[in-house]
């Protein structure tokens, strides 16, 4: 799976962990602990099949929505596209 490392500086711990907890509650992710040689065990998150399905649905909705917004930003009449 791709890493989100370049984007992690956009989030503070006060915002990302409540989001992960919500995703876990909705069974979109699972967690597991892994021992670390440099300190306490670390918690890792793994997307579930339900999470992948939800992601794909939300991504499709986002693509449709952002496509319309992009048309509007370019000043093109949506009806002319058909």
């Amino acid at each position: 799976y791709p890493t989100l490392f370049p984007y992690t500086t956009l989030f503070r711990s006060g915002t990302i962990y409540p989001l992960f907890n919500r995703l876990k509650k909705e069974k979109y992710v699972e967690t597991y602990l892994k021992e670390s040689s440099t300190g306490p065990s670390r918690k890792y998150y793994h997307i579930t099949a339900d999470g992948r399905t939800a992601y794909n649905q939300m991504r499709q909705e986002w693509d449709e929505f952002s496509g319309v917004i992009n048309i509007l930003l370019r000043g093109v009449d949506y009806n002319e596209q058909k």
Side-chain angles (χ1 to χ4, degrees):
Y1 295 103
T3 180
L4 296 176
F5 179 72
Y7 306 103
T8 56
T9 57
L10 298 173
F11 302 102
R12 296 183 328 203
S13 62
T15 58
I16 195 74
Y17 290 112
L19 174 61
F20 276 137
N21 287 334
R22 181 176 168 206
L23 293 172
K24 185 177 177 184
K25 182 179 178 182
E26 295 187 23
K27 301 191 185 309
Y28 292 159
V29 297
E30 296 174 336
T31 61
Y32 63 94
L33 292 175
K34 190 172 183 180
E35 289 189 29
S36 171
S37 60
T38 59
S41 296
R42 300 192 183 256
K43 185 182 283 190
Y44 290 87
Y45 294 83
H46 173 77
I47 192 167
T48 63
D50 286 345
R52 179 70 61 192
T53 299
Y55 165 79
N56 288 331
Q57 179 181 352
M58 286 184 247
R59 179 60 193 255
Q60 181 179 356
E61 291 170 6
W62 173 256
D63 288 344
E64 292 170 6
F65 172 77
S66 63
V68 171
I69 297 300
N70 286 331
I71 289 170
L72 294 172
L73 290 174
R74 286 194 305 262
V76 176
D77 184 358
Y78 182 74
N79 292 320
E80 291 179 13
Q81 297 290 320
K82 292 182 177 183

